[in-house]
Amino acid sequence: MRIYEGKGELSFHDGDVFHVVDTLFNGVVGSWFVYRLGRNNQEIQKGSIPNKSRADELAAEQRLENRSKKSTSGADDLAITETVGSSRRSNFFRRRRSARRSKSLCRENWEDILFGELGNSKFQAYERVTLRHPTFVRPVIFFGPLADIAREKLLRDYPDKFECPQSTANDATAKNSKLNNSGIVRLSAIKEIIERGKHALLDITPSAVDRLNYAQFYPIVIFMRVENKSIVKELRNRSSTKNTVHRSSRKLFEQSIKLEKVWHHVFTSSITLTSGGDLWYKKLGEIIDKQQTQMVWMSEFKPDESISDDFLFPMNSVSRLSYASSPESDLDVSMNDAKFD
């Protein structure tokens, strides 16, 4: 969500932190005088922002606008489906194929799940936070073209430090009744790993990161940036294992660009991947260790609702249709595998 400034007011985005010094700016109700805090929690900019009441109104307007856009898009999709379904075709098999697709999650549906949930956050417009050291082992999430390989390597090399609630390859988690083949994970499963003193290594969508923050798990989120698709292809060829799914370098590169543009506010750190070695893997470990010991902006209050049974969607499920449709990929996924019931 972005709050657009009024006359003379600052604009800001999700994740920005402010130090409020005057809640009655210029003696008028409606604006706060604040200092914006930078990466090192230093005051870097001063100005006024809408007070809580005005910010809540602006946030509500944005949510309504987003829902309206989704509703309009859904109506258009339905009209297209009905037109296709009602048109006469001489080929029986083409009709069957079309009917199946009308019930399936097409690539655009997956893209909506991945990139279109910015307006559905459970957070209010503003949240009171304090800077504290985490008293628990924080979950770890990777985004970028080598995210799956990074998870594989950490689980293989450091099983005493990392555990994935979505991986049936891990004996400890395979016995967990909360696991299923879909890769969907419940917050309660993540909490169990944290209680065992390990980092929960997660494959989830960016919008699910927002849910984790709302649940006050405060994950370490590392974005792996690349300059071009050639580097993606080189690094994946060098680091892939027999369990690594073959994916289109071009699709992975394009998705990473879009992820950074839309969801950069959920990243807690980033690294740039370069050709010529596995230094990126060592750097990941250093970042995780450093961020685990750093202070984190945490909410002063507990969530208003019980969220232990909330579930998070895996990034791989969202991405697989795009990869499967690419001639550069060896992955073959039927459109009939993912359906709305």
Side-chain angles (χ1 to χ4, degrees):
M1 179 188 69
R2 177 178 180 181
I3 300 291
Y4 287 91
E5 73 276 17
K7 185 177 180 180
E9 291 182 329
L10 300 174
S11 64
F12 53 94
H13 300 76
D14 288 287
D16 284 354
V17 180
F18 294 95
H19 175 205
V20 181
V21 295
D22 187 355
T23 57
L24 199 63
F25 184 51
N26 286 335
V28 179
V29 175
S31 295
W32 292 347
F33 186 74
V34 301
Y35 286 94
R36 190 196 305 270
L37 302 186
R39 278 285 183 179
N40 297 320
N41 302 318
Q42 300 296 315
E43 296 176 347
I44 59 174
Q45 187 181 18
K46 63 182 179 180
S48 63
I49 61 174
N51 67 1
K52 187 178 185 306
S53 296
R54 286 181 56 212
D56 286 339
E57 291 174 1
L58 290 169
E61 289 174 4
Q62 288 192 8
R63 291 190 185 101
L64 286 174
E65 183 179 348
N66 289 335
R67 288 171 187 166
S68 177
K69 288 179 180 178
K70 277 191 174 183
S71 177
T72 302
S73 175
D76 291 342
D77 291 343
L78 179 60
I80 292 171
T81 301
E82 289 177 345
T83 301
V84 172
S86 61
S87 63
R88 296 181 179 274
R89 292 185 177 88
S90 59
N91 191 312
F92 169 76
F93 295 101
R94 288 187 63 187
R95 283 203 303 273
R96 282 192 62 191
R97 187 165 176 261
S98 176
R100 286 201 307 269
R101 286 199 174 195
S102 67
K103 296 182 180 180
S104 300
L105 284 173
C106 64
R107 189 187 311 173
E108 287 74 15
N109 295 130
W110 287 119
E111 291 287 316
D112 286 343
I113 293 174
L114 180 55
F115 297 111
E117 297 191 8
L118 283 170
N120 293 335
S121 174
K122 293 185 177 182
F123 283 104
Q124 295 183 352
Y126 293 153
E127 180 186 32
R128 290 180 63 93
V129 293
T130 56
L131 196 59
R132 290 180 286 174
H133 282 290
T135 58
F136 55 90
V137 182
R138 299 168 66 187
V140 175
I141 301 155
F142 301 130
F143 290 117
L146 264 66
D148 56 332
I149 293 176
R151 287 191 297 269
E152 286 180 19
K153 289 171 72 69
L154 288 175
L155 289 171
R156 180 193 65 201
D157 297 341
Y158 305 101
D160 58 332
K161 187 175 180 179
F162 298 94
E163 187 174 329
C164 178
Q166 299 153 299
S167 173
T168 55
N170 187 311
D171 291 339
T173 56
K175 298 176 183 178
N176 193 323
S177 61
K178 296 180 177 64
L179 280 175
N180 54 61
N181 293 331
S182 68
I184 295 173
V185 60
R186 292 187 179 275
L187 291 178
S188 54
I190 299 172
K191 186 176 180 180
E192 289 173 7
I193 294 176
I194 293 174
E195 290 173 348
R196 288 194 285 271
K198 295 183 180 182
H199 291 285
L201 202 54
L202 305 175
D203 165 30
I204 58 175
T205 62
S207 59
V209 174
D210 189 71
R211 293 189 184 185
L212 274 183
N213 282 320
Y214 181 79
Q216 300 180 7
F217 284 61
Y218 303 111
I220 296 169
V221 185
I222 303 175
F223 177 69
M224 292 180 279
R225 183 184 298 107
V226 289
E227 298 297 330
N228 55 65
K229 66 179 181 180
S230 297
I231 295 177
V232 176
K233 187 173 184 179
E234 176 191 337
L235 292 178
R236 288 190 68 84
N237 287 340
R238 176 186 293 122
S239 305
S240 295
T241 68
K242 63 180 181 180
N243 296 322
T244 304
V245 176
H246 295 285
R247 291 174 176 162
S248 162
S249 300
R250 179 177 63 83
K251 290 290 185 180
L252 286 167
F253 175 64
E254 291 173 352
Q255 186 187 73
S256 69
I257 293 175
K258 195 169 184 180
L259 273 172
E260 185 173 21
K261 180 179 179 180
V262 179
W263 287 100
H264 61 89
H265 61 277
V266 303
F267 305 155
T268 61
S269 184
S270 64
I271 63 171
T272 299
L273 305 179
T274 57
S275 60
D278 290 333
L279 290 177
W280 63 270
Y281 182 55
K282 180 181 178 182
K283 184 67 174 177
L284 282 183
E286 293 173 352
I287 292 175
I288 293 170
D289 290 341
K290 181 179 180 180
Q291 295 213 344
Q292 177 60 44
T293 60
Q294 287 180 335
M295 299 179 76
V296 180
W297 288 107
M298 298 184 180
S299 175
E300 290 189 356
F301 308 104
K302 295 295 182 182
D304 295 332
E305 57 187 287
S306 176
I307 52 178
S308 61
D309 285 334
D310 203 358
F311 56 87
L312 312 175
F313 284 103
M315 186 75 172
N316 279 339
S317 291
V318 174
S319 306
R320 62 181 179 175
L321 291 180
S322 294
Y323 300 139
S325 64
S326 171
E328 300 175 42
S329 174
D330 295 331
L331 181 62
D332 184 17
V333 179
S334 170
M335 290 291 291
N336 203 34
D337 286 344
K339 292 184 178 181
F340 287 122
D341 292 328

